[in-house]
Amino acid sequence: MWSLTANEDESTTAHFFLGAGDEGLCTRGTGMRTEESDSELLEDEEDEVPPEPQIIVGICAMTKKSKSKPMTQILERLCRFDYLTVIILGEDVILNEPVENWPSCHCLISFHSKGFPLDKAVAYSKLRNPFLINDLAMQYYIQDRREVYRILQEEGIDLPRYAVLNRDPARPEECNLIEGEDQVEVNGAVFPKPFVEKPVSAEDHNVYIYYPSSAGGGSQRLFRKIGSRSSVYSPESSVRKTGSYIYEEFMPTDGTDVKVYTVGPDYAHAEARKSPALDGKVERDSEGKEVRYPVMLTAMEKLVARKVCVAFKQTVCGFDLLRANGHSFVCDVNGFSFVKNSMKYYDDCAKILGNTIMRELAPQFQIPWSIPTEAEDIPIVPTTSGTMMELRCVIAIIRHGDRTPKQKMKMEVTHPRFFTLFEKHGGYKTGKLKLKRPEQLQEVLDITRLLLAELEKEPSGEIEEKTGKLEQLKSVLEMYGHFSGINRKVQLTYYPHGVKASNEGQDSQREALAPSLLLVLKWGGELTPDGRVQAEELGRAFRCMYPGGQGDYAGFPGCGLLRLHSTFRHDLKIYASDEGRVQMTAAAFAKGLLALEGELTPILVQMVKSANMNGLLDSDGDSLSSCQHRVKARLHHILQQDAPFGPEDYDQLAPTGSTSLLNSMTIIQNPVKVCDQVFALIENLTHQIRNRMQDPKSVDLQLYHSETLELMLQRWSKLERDFRQKSGRYDISKIPDIYDCVKYDVQHNGSLGLQGTAELLRLSKALADVVIPQEYGISREEKLEIAVGFCLPLLRKILLDLQRTHEDESVNKLHPLYSRGVLSPGRHVRTRLYFTSESHVHSLLSVFRYGGLLDETQDAQWQRALAYLSAISELNYMTQIVIMLYEDNTRDPLSEERFHVELHFSPGVKGFEEEGSAPTGYGFRPASSENEEIKTDEGSTENLYPRKAPDEPDRALQTSPQPSEGPGLPRRSPLIRNRKAGSMEVLSETSSSKPGGYRLFSSSRPPAEMKQSGLGSQCTGLFSTTVLGGSSSAPNLQDYARSHGKKLPPASLKHRDVP
């Protein structure tokens, strides 16, 4: 029945046999010679000395498992134990032979998989009573997720909050499901979306994750890997109506899962992989294997691994760990499973299993055996020395991407139905209420329809709300035929004595006035397809901020951002305000940064944290501070004067001497005359749109982002009505909206060929360049006061981020034994990305410019940086402020030289400035201003490389890829230390030698061409030379284009090392 062949030397060669039911009948196991004839084998057997007592280890599993590469690798190593002989039961024997005919063994490694007869394995165990590596009876429980969770709970192991829905007629009390739009209630337990729905059978891998409507709704459907996919996104938002399921709270894990593999209670190997719920794309290496990286477990997680191993009585056991909110949760126990493609694990696993078997069975066979004691392997890892500085923290504050024009309508409401709605949703707690959810907006629409119906019946009734305002409210809420929480919202603010009295300060009359609510309806402001592209491309380019640039072809092989993140050494958190456009920008940026695929909704839910609970990134733009009221009133007064600007006006409006502000005032000359021109151009524009609507050819004309001519006319007609008041004076607060609209139409609807838009853009931009920055304060003191009001929580958080650079047990680290090619594997890089609106970016820059960070009179470089900021007229979409913290481990921990801070700035996407009008920056290095005569072609990657200054050594060798060095040898750093200005490095402008070259996109280029042109032309010089020359080697964009299938124009493919 069995072929018990052996090799020539019993004492040194593996005893490895295959069962007769296997296709490999009478063939030797792995590592045995197969070229010998049968006669030679018989001669060898006759000459052999009778073997010493052998412990037979039986492998009972389906062929797919017993002959897998990990199993083969481990069994080969297991056979090196002198007293162990391994036999593999063939699948034919397991399935078709009675257990009495199975060969006997002393130790059994058996585990369930699809098609495996677990009942027969249990019967065999009772018949032969072998030593079990993995308990067989417990494997029944592992197949039922309900039992798995019960056991985990009994052992005190943390797991996500869950409830079981048993659709079993015998247990009706466990089958109560109430489904709402954004939640489910299971047997009394409420689970708001996002939540997870798991079949109770562990063999069913169709796990669904349901997303809230505010994030776009739908669900992510996970399944067992098929090719390169492990999940797909579905628009279906309703839970399954047949079958029994576990519903559990969704745990935000920043897009990474941890797989833990135990071999006995004292050994656990952990690997990180991209979460299948993120985009469903399986990351594979050049050999087609899923990319995973070993990580270190915390002391608490090691204890969890021990508990799981012991509780389920599975020596070899795999389970899934979710790291979320500073805690670790077990979400699945898989039973017997091996690590793939890890020679270190194969060695460890075979050694532990062999020792376990020998310790248990050697005494029975009177085999002399003692577990060998070996010194622990000492991990040899690269260390920093010399001038090497280690990147410790990256903090970025980024404005959202391109959006549709924002629109707003205000009205005072006093009807009891609005007060009832305000009370229902808890508005009296804070005096303010924000309604974004579809069911909330539906309630507002229902009230509006009822009031309009009553007004139609009794026009002179008691309803005080104006019909025109109600009609506009109804029309906006009914747009698109459905609600989406990310493109419309209603804000209600309570005024106990009426809105008018509160605004005008009529204290004496307040007691007699009735309370009212200020209803503010906001719509538009959605992230456009261009905005998504901008965010994704910037995310991709942002990888250059990290050591290693784009990966293997950059300075240090294998040390790019993607590997840094996959190895859990990247402590990444992404925050966004509660605005839909901001959250979607953050998700698109994360998609580009981490090379994700698929829809943005799963990325948004899993990776972007909403920061609206503590005012970190949100601000109530309709509740102005007293300082803002004063500034706004003074601004309106100055800009309502029908006379050319005089010296006094310059002193009043531009006391800080901002270059961009002075330039705009020079263009404007007389503000009222310019407003007259702007109003006339708007009237002409609305007239052209009306004429176009009468043209039969334009009936079905679709504008950008599905807008129609009718909606475009509504947009401009509202501005026409609101800009010039009945008194003939102009509402200066509408200037930003006018500029916003014309910029949008010039960029996206230029094909309409509307006349006068270019002039309207020029004039409205000049006005906006005065109004927008000055709304955040006119004098230095006002700018600082308003800035602190906007961004004090954010400033405190940034300071906290910079201070938290010390290692602690809660930080996830890469296991040092697997760290070849990774610099400083025990360290981590903290990245905090804050996505917000224009107000926070303006405020933060005000703090940097006027907060006394450095003395510009004593530091020429800081002076140049402030001059550059002064020349920036607009903080456009995707404006970035980046703070980078480095540590020099060779310096005294208390020395100012220990840490090194860099500030980086980019004014975002390219605007509509004429060629040569954009400000020119001086770069990071102090000596760079001496090289202004060196010019480069815009669009060339030469802009990405720092120029050599006269006082700097030759850097060509330092920035080019270096040959691989031994792990114990330090590399020389490419970073050339800059002059210190206290403990803070000066702000570096992201500007090229040629104006405008350091911003992301040219708005005149259509989106399709943007995608084709790649990073070479769009992102040239996006970041300052200090980043590419200081903390990493610059990426080779040609390789990037080749690997991503992009075509770069010839100018973008130029490359030469700067001498």
Side-chain angles (χ1 to χ4, degrees):
M1 177 92 186
W2 293 92
S3 172
L4 302 178
T5 56
N7 273 355
E8 298 86 1
D9 187 353
E10 285 286 348
S11 62
T12 58
T13 310
H15 306 271
F16 192 5
F17 306 105
L18 300 174
D22 208 290
E23 294 177 0
L25 178 62
C26 296
T27 60
R28 292 177 182 269
T30 306
M32 292 183 162
R33 294 181 299 166
T34 57
E35 67 273 10
E36 297 175 278
S37 65
D38 291 341
S39 60
E40 290 173 324
L41 288 173
L42 291 173
E43 289 173 10
D44 288 341
E45 289 178 0
E46 289 173 2
D47 295 337
E48 285 177 354
V49 177
E52 296 172 329
Q54 289 294 303
I55 297 173
I56 307 299
V57 181
I59 311 298
C60 180
M62 303 301 280
T63 300
K64 185 178 179 181
K65 300 293 183 181
S66 62
K67 282 192 168 184
S68 65
K69 180 184 175 183
M71 180 68 88
T72 303
Q73 293 278 351
I74 291 167
L75 293 184
E76 283 180 356
R77 290 162 172 78
L78 195 60
C79 289
R80 293 173 190 163
F81 283 79
D82 291 341
Y83 299 95
L84 296 185
T85 299
V86 177
I87 61 171
I88 298 177
L89 280 69
E91 192 171 296
D92 184 56
V93 171
I94 295 171
L95 296 176
N96 302 319
E97 293 283 343
V99 295
E100 292 78 10
N101 292 349
W102 292 11
S104 62
C105 62
H106 309 112
C107 172
L108 182 66
I109 299 177
S110 181
F111 53 93
H112 179 268
S113 62
K114 187 176 181 180
F116 181 76
L118 185 56
D119 292 344
K120 291 180 74 174
V122 171
Y124 174 79
S125 172
K126 290 178 180 177
L127 177 68
R128 303 291 185 189
N129 196 30
F131 170 56
L132 295 176
I133 293 296
N134 278 29
D135 186 84
L136 292 170
M138 289 299 293
Q139 294 184 31
Y140 287 109
Y141 292 120
I142 292 175
Q143 295 177 54
D144 190 327
R145 287 191 172 100
R146 293 167 293 193
E147 293 299 317
V148 169
Y149 276 33
R150 178 186 62 79
I151 294 170
L152 290 172
Q153 218 161 17
E154 289 175 356
E155 294 297 323
I157 296 170
D158 287 341
L159 63 160
R161 184 176 68 89
Y162 76 99
V164 179
L165 181 73
N166 283 316
R167 285 196 170 99
D168 184 350
R171 293 188 284 182
E173 72 281 359
E174 297 180 12
C175 188
N176 297 316
L177 175 71
I178 302 173
E179 183 175 10
E181 182 173 10
D182 271 333
Q183 68 177 42
V184 290
E185 183 178 328
V186 182
N187 301 325
V190 177
F191 294 88
K193 293 180 180 178
F195 60 77
V196 184
E197 179 187 63
K198 295 179 176 178
V200 294
S201 170
E203 296 299 297
D204 189 343
H205 296 275
N206 294 293
V207 175
Y208 291 3
I209 300 171
Y210 294 91
Y211 300 121
S213 57
S214 60
S219 55
Q220 193 77 11
R221 305 194 166 190
L222 283 62
F223 44 79
R224 189 178 281 279
K225 285 193 289 283
I226 301 174
S228 290
R229 295 218 67 82
S230 57
S231 72
V232 293
Y233 177 77
S234 166
E236 180 55 54
S237 294
S238 298
V239 300
R240 288 171 277 192
K241 300 301 187 292
T242 58
S244 296
Y245 299 95
I246 289 177
Y247 290 89
E248 69 181 47
E249 187 177 8
F250 176 81
M251 310 302 290
T253 62
D254 295 330
T256 314
D257 288 351
V258 179
K259 309 285 284 186
V260 182
Y261 302 86
T262 70
V263 187
D266 300 317
Y267 180 92
H269 173 96
E271 289 185 341
R273 65 160 187 178
K274 186 172 75 175
S275 170
L278 198 55
D279 61 1
K281 173 76 173 177
V282 178
E283 278 189 320
R284 297 191 182 276
D285 58 20
S286 57
E287 297 177 2
K289 297 166 185 169
E290 184 178 12
V291 175
R292 294 185 179 186
Y293 292 98
V295 296
M296 290 183 72
L297 296 175
T298 65
M300 190 60 69
E301 289 168 340
K302 290 173 185 174
L303 181 61
V304 168
R306 182 184 183 87
K307 284 184 175 181
V308 170
C309 179
V310 173
F312 290 89
K313 301 177 183 177
Q314 306 291 298
T315 301
V316 179
C317 186
F319 65 92
D320 294 349
L321 204 60
L322 300 177
R323 284 169 163 169
N325 304 321
H327 297 280
S328 298
F329 303 87
V330 176
C331 65
D332 201 7
V333 177
N334 311 117
F336 195 100
S337 52
F338 281 143
V339 177
K340 302 176 179 67
N341 309 313
S342 172
M343 295 301 166
K344 176 74 170 60
Y345 171 82
Y346 298 152
D347 292 341
D348 293 343
C349 184
K351 183 191 298 183
I352 294 168
L353 287 178
N355 289 338
T356 302
I357 296 167
M358 294 301 295
R359 181 173 55 239
E360 181 72 23
L361 298 178
Q364 298 178 25
F365 288 82
Q366 298 178 343
I367 297 172
W369 174 261
S370 61
I371 297 177
T373 56
E374 296 178 10
E376 284 291 322
D377 294 331
I378 300 172
I380 300 174
V381 297
T383 58
T384 55
S385 63
T387 57
M388 170 63 86
M389 295 190 74
E390 185 179 353
L391 178 63
R392 299 305 312 280
C393 187
V394 177
I395 298 169
I397 300 89
I398 305 173
R399 191 190 173 195
H400 58 75
D402 181 68
R403 55 161 172 75
T404 60
K406 285 195 301 182
Q407 299 181 75
K408 181 165 65 175
M409 182 201 78
K410 293 183 181 181
M411 64 182 291
E412 185 176 10
V413 294
T414 56
H415 198 278
R417 286 195 181 98
F418 285 111
F419 282 97
T420 303
L421 177 70
F422 191 71
E423 183 179 14
K424 176 183 174 182
H425 293 288
Y428 285 111
K429 292 177 183 176
T430 60
K432 296 176 184 177
L433 181 63
K434 192 177 290 186
L435 305 173
K436 292 178 66 176
R437 301 169 71 85
E439 62 270 21
Q440 295 172 333
L441 295 176
Q442 185 64 54
E443 289 181 79
V444 178
L445 179 58
D446 291 343
I447 293 172
T448 308
R449 285 170 173 167
L450 283 170
L451 294 182
L452 283 170
E454 290 176 18
L455 280 169
E456 192 175 348
K457 290 179 183 176
E458 297 182 46
S460 59
E462 297 182 358
I463 298 175
E464 298 180 14
E465 283 75 11
K466 295 180 180 177
T467 306
K469 290 282 190 181
L470 288 173
E471 288 283 4
Q472 190 172 3
L473 179 61
K474 173 175 174 286
S475 139
V476 172
L477 290 174
E478 288 178 340
M479 278 195 310
Y480 309 117
H482 63 86
F483 288 116
S484 172
I486 61 173
N487 61 23
R488 275 166 292 186
K489 68 178 177 183
V490 171
Q491 292 172 212
L492 293 169
T493 306
Y494 179 72
Y495 287 90
H497 306 290
V499 175
K500 188 174 181 182
S502 299
N503 285 344
E504 295 179 3
Q506 298 173 0
D507 296 326
S508 59
Q509 303 177 16
R510 283 191 179 191
E511 295 301 324
L513 294 173
S516 67
L517 294 169
L518 176 65
L519 185 151
V520 180
L521 171 66
K522 295 182 177 181
W523 70 102
E526 300 171 65
L527 192 68
T528 65
D530 274 14
R532 293 190 182 199
V533 171
Q534 291 167 2
E536 193 174 333
E537 291 285 5
L538 180 60
R540 212 171 275 129
F542 201 81
R543 297 178 205 162
C544 301
M545 304 294 277
Y546 296 83
Q550 294 291 346
D552 288 346
Y553 51 77
F556 302 124
C559 296
L561 180 275
L562 296 180
R563 181 168 186 198
L564 180 76
H565 188 72
S566 296
T567 54
F568 262 109
R569 293 169 58 247
H570 190 204
D571 179 14
L572 171 67
K573 294 286 186 296
I574 301 175
Y575 297 90
S577 69
D578 71 340
E579 295 286 355
R581 58 182 170 272
V582 179
Q583 294 190 348
M584 285 301 180
T585 298
F589 184 95
K591 181 178 180 180
L593 180 70
L594 301 176
L596 304 174
E597 295 186 9
E599 300 292 328
L600 292 185
T601 295
I603 300 171
L604 171 62
V605 171
Q606 295 195 61
M607 301 211 63
V608 180
K609 301 177 189 307
S610 179
N612 61 345
M613 300 306 292
N614 55 6
L616 190 67
L617 297 171
D618 290 291
S619 57
D620 187 356
D622 298 301
S623 299
L624 303 180
S625 67
S626 58
C627 181
Q628 285 173 283
H629 277 298
R630 292 196 306 271
V631 166
K632 201 171 182 179
R634 198 156 83 252
L635 193 59
H636 280 233
H637 171 71
I638 296 171
L639 294 179
Q640 294 287 1
Q641 297 178 15
D642 189 4
F645 285 132
E648 185 179 338
D649 296 314
Y650 279 91
D651 292 339
Q652 286 187 0
L653 196 55
T656 60
S658 169
T659 306
S660 62
L661 192 59
L662 296 175
N663 291 341
S664 297
M665 292 179 70
T666 303
I667 295 172
I668 293 168
Q669 292 294 324
N670 185 320
V672 173
K673 289 285 188 291
V674 171
C675 286
D676 287 339
Q677 290 177 268
V678 167
F679 183 72
L681 287 166
I682 294 174
E683 284 185 315
N684 178 47
L685 189 59
T686 55
H687 179 69
Q688 290 182 67
I689 298 171
R690 287 190 183 93
N691 289 342
R692 187 65 61 89
M693 289 172 66
Q694 302 300 320
D695 187 349
K697 297 177 182 176
S698 303
V699 173
D700 298 320
L701 185 64
Q702 284 284 316
L703 307 182
Y704 183 73
H705 204 45
S706 302
E707 191 180 31
T708 62
L709 280 171
E710 184 180 2
L711 290 172
M712 185 184 188
L713 180 61
Q714 285 180 16
R715 184 157 46 87
W716 281 108
S717 296
K718 184 177 185 305
L719 286 173
E720 184 181 357
R721 288 193 305 272
D722 296 344
F723 184 43
R724 188 155 73 178
Q725 301 167 332
K726 292 178 181 178
S727 62
R729 292 165 66 86
Y730 290 103
D731 184 353
I732 303 302
S733 67
K734 298 301 175 186
I735 285 173
D737 298 334
I738 294 169
Y739 174 59
D740 195 25
C741 274
V742 70
K743 181 170 73 168
Y744 178 83
D745 285 331
V746 168
Q747 180 172 352
H748 298 299
N749 294 319
S751 59
L752 286 176
L754 297 171
Q755 301 296 314
T757 52
E759 181 64 8
L760 179 57
L761 177 68
R762 186 182 73 84
L763 295 175
S764 62
K765 176 171 171 50
L767 288 168
D769 287 347
V770 172
V771 172
I772 294 174
Q774 298 308 80
E775 282 184 339
Y776 298 99
I778 296 176
S779 67
R780 296 169 69 103
E781 294 74 23
E782 289 168 342
K783 285 182 182 292
L784 272 176
E785 183 179 341
I786 292 172
V788 168
F790 271 107
C791 65
L792 183 59
L794 179 58
L795 284 168
R796 286 174 173 159
K797 181 69 168 61
I798 290 171
L799 190 61
L800 204 61
D801 293 336
L802 290 169
Q803 290 172 340
R804 286 181 175 172
T805 54
H806 302 294
E807 304 298 331
D808 57 40
E809 182 62 22
S810 65
V811 172
N812 305 315
K813 306 171 190 174
L814 176 66
H815 197 294
L817 294 177
Y818 297 86
S819 61
R820 297 239 173 101
V822 176
L823 301 182
S824 303
R827 313 277 278 182
H828 71 284
V829 177
R830 176 187 299 272
T831 297
R832 296 293 180 266
L833 305 176
Y834 299 98
F835 289 85
T836 185
S837 54
E838 189 178 15
S839 58
H840 274 69
V841 181
H842 268 289
S843 301
L844 200 57
L845 276 181
S846 292
V847 171
F848 285 145
R849 292 173 69 177
Y850 307 115
L853 197 61
L854 292 171
D855 185 357
E856 60 183 294
T857 62
Q858 302 297 319
D859 191 284
Q861 188 179 7
W862 184 244
Q863 191 175 34
R864 288 197 305 272
L866 293 184
Y868 175 75
L869 286 178
S870 173
I872 296 295
S873 63
E874 179 181 4
L875 303 182
N876 214 334
Y877 303 126
M878 304 309 302
T879 292
Q880 315 119 49
I881 301 171
V882 184
I883 305 168
M884 303 184 74
L885 175 68
Y886 293 88
E887 183 176 3
D888 187 345
N889 293 307
T890 64
R891 301 287 181 174
D892 187 289
L894 300 179
S895 166
E896 278 195 351
E897 300 293 317
R898 176 80 178 191
F899 291 95
H900 171 91
V901 177
E902 296 173 357
L903 295 176
H904 304 266
F905 169 75
S906 168
V909 304
K910 282 188 177 179
F912 293 89
E913 301 95 340
E914 295 177 7
E915 187 68 26
S917 65
T920 302
Y922 293 100
F924 174 75
R925 304 199 176 283
S928 63
S929 58
E930 301 167 18
N931 292 335
E932 288 185 33
E933 70 278 2
I934 304 176
K935 300 293 181 181
T936 58
D937 293 331
E938 189 172 0
S940 167
T941 58
E942 294 171 28
N943 286 337
L944 291 169
Y945 293 84
R947 298 287 182 184
K948 176 194 163 190
D951 59 345
E952 292 178 357
D954 192 329
R955 302 185 64 253
L957 295 177
Q958 298 174 38
T959 57
S960 60
Q962 298 290 327
S964 177
E965 299 178 19
L969 298 177
R971 294 180 185 271
R972 185 181 176 193
S973 169
L975 180 65
I976 306 300
R977 293 292 298 276
N978 193 12
R979 287 202 302 257
K980 283 279 182 179
S983 60
M984 174 73 74
E985 281 293 349
V986 300
L987 185 75
S988 62
E989 315 84 23
T990 49
S991 173
S992 65
S993 301
K994 197 166 184 176
Y998 271 67
R999 284 181 272 173
L1000 190 55
F1001 299 125
S1002 169
S1003 54
S1004 60
R1005 180 183 297 144
E1009 189 181 340
M1010 281 186 181
K1011 293 180 181 177
Q1012 290 296 320
S1013 62
L1015 285 176
S1017 57
Q1018 297 174 44
C1019 301
T1020 295
L1022 177 62
F1023 302 109
S1024 71
T1025 55
T1026 180
V1027 178
L1028 298 177
S1031 61
S1032 71
S1033 296
N1036 183 319
L1037 292 181
Q1038 192 165 6
D1039 287 347
Y1040 177 88
R1042 189 183 301 116
S1043 63
H1044 288 73
K1046 292 180 180 262
K1047 294 181 179 179
L1048 301 186
S1052 300
L1053 300 181
K1054 293 180 183 177
H1055 170 71
R1056 66 180 176 85
D1057 290 327
V1058 180

